[in-house]
């Protein structure tokens, strides 16, 4: 357990489904991130929230919708996904000015069928 | 953000010291150098971070020359459990107070018996 918890660990969804990924951090960090890791590709930064405000959206399709209701929780709402969206979705948190980098969760393995 | 270049893969044997070098020619004055380790289907784990000279912790050492255009992660006496992908990242706190880290392809280290 890293202090960043992601649920569910595995998710299979159809292209017409709506689902949400949840991330919770117990570290008192004030920034949270969503990354996508596809097979044999580097991690791709999707969204950044700093002090509960979205500060980065790296050209992510609108079928991915993030939500950060408070500094401890981050969601990624999914709808009308495509098979190529199948990947490991990783949540991370960090502390402004901190010197210990990011803390990542274990990820949600998403399969779109 | 400064781009990093590191070997795609490396092989080693148990008990040996492993040195992974990363090039970051365009590193900015306020950038830190951070290394992460990732096992399959898990989120990356912070290993070590430095700004200049040498940093050592219980896991690894990080050597940074005076020009900071490269860095070397040193893993003493590796074991089979050190088989993983190692990422070198360069970045710092951006306006707004959060850290933006972009991952490259990493170095796939294989430790053999």
């Amino acid at each position: 357990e890293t202090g960043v918890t992601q649920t569910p660990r595995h998710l299979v969804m159809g292209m017409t489904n709506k689902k949400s990924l949840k991330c919770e951090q117990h570290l008192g960090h004030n920034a949270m991130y969503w990354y996508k890791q596809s097979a044999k590709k580097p991690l791709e930064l999707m969204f950044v929230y700093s002090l509960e405000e979205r500060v980065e959206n790296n050209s992510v399709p609108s079928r991915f919708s993030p939500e950060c209701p408070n500094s401890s929780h981050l969601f990624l709402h999914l709808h009308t996904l495509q098979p190529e969206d199948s990947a490991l979705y990783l949540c991370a948190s960090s502390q402004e000015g901190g010197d210990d980098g990011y803390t990542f969760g274990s990820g949600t393995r998403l399969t779109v069928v | 953000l400064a781009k990093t270049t590191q070997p795609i893969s490396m092989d080693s044997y148990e008990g040996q010291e492993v040195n992974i070098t990363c090039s970051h020619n365009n590193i900015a004055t306020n950038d830190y150098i951070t290394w992460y380790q990732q096992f399959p289907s898990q989120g990356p784990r912070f290993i070590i971070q430095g700004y200049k000279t040498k940093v050592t912790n219980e896991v690894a050492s990080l050597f940074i020359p005076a020009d900071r255009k490269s860095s070397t992660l040193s893993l003493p006496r590796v074991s089979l459990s050190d088989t993983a992908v190692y990422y070198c990242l360069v970045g710092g706190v951006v306006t707004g107070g959060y850290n933006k880290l972009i991952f490259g392809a990493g170095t796939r280290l294989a430790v053999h018996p």
Side-chain angles (χ1 to χ4, degrees):
Chain A
E1 184 59 54
T2 65
V4 177
T5 304
Q6 288 189 245
T7 55
R9 288 299 308 276
H10 301 272
L11 178 63
V12 179
M13 60 185 288
M15 289 189 283
T16 58
N17 290 158
K18 287 184 180 181
K19 296 287 184 183
S20 295
L21 309 184
K22 179 183 176 182
C23 177
E24 185 174 358
Q25 58 99 359
H26 310 278
L27 303 168
H29 289 170
N30 56 15
M32 297 185 78
Y33 314 78
W34 279 116
Y35 280 84
K36 173 186 177 183
Q37 189 171 33
S38 304
K40 299 184 180 178
K41 284 177 130 180
L43 283 84
E44 302 170 54
L45 180 62
M46 300 174 72
F47 300 105
V48 180
Y49 276 81
S50 177
L51 300 173
E52 301 161 40
E53 279 193 41
R54 189 191 313 178
V55 294
E56 292 267 344
N57 176 348
N58 286 336
S59 304
V60 180
S62 59
R63 57 185 184 269
F64 295 91
S65 174
E67 179 190 2
C68 186
N70 55 60
S71 60
S72 300
H73 294 86
L74 186 65
F75 295 89
L76 188 62
H77 304 299
L78 316 170
H79 66 96
T80 326
L81 293 193
Q82 305 298 311
E84 59 265 29
D85 296 322
S86 298
L88 181 67
Y89 288 85
L90 290 159
C91 172
S93 69
S94 71
Q95 178 61 32
E96 173 187 352
D99 59 0
D100 56 356
Y102 284 19
T103 301
F104 280 85
S106 297
T108 294
R109 173 70 62 187
L110 174 67
T111 303
V112 181
V113 297
Chain B
L1 294 171
K3 182 182 175 182
T4 60
T5 303
Q6 50 183 124
I8 296 294
S9 64
M10 294 181 69
D11 288 274
S12 184
Y13 292 90
E14 285 188 289
Q16 289 190 335
E17 178 184 77
V18 171
N19 296 308
I20 307 174
T21 297
C22 178
S23 298
H24 28 79
N25 292 318
N26 297 320
I27 189 168
T29 303
N30 62 345
D31 283 342
Y32 279 77
I33 300 156
T34 313
W35 286 79
Y36 287 81
Q37 174 194 56
Q38 186 179 26
F39 298 112
S41 296
Q42 292 186 29
R45 182 177 74 102
F46 172 87
I47 301 175
I48 198 166
Q49 179 174 281
Y51 185 80
K52 62 180 179 181
T53 63
K54 177 184 174 183
V55 180
T56 297
N57 62 23
E58 65 277 6
V59 176
S61 295
L62 178 59
F63 298 92
I64 305 168
D67 66 3
R68 303 198 331 118
K69 293 184 183 299
S70 67
S71 59
T72 299
L73 175 72
S74 181
L75 304 172
R77 297 180 297 282
V78 294
S79 64
L80 296 177
S81 62
D82 293 315
T83 294
V85 178
Y86 292 83
Y87 298 96
C88 163
L89 293 95
V90 171
V93 177
V94 299
T95 303
Y98 63 94
N99 300 296
K100 180 174 177 178
L101 296 179
I102 305 298
F103 284 77
T107 297
R108 191 170 298 273
L109 172 66
V111 180
H112 305 280

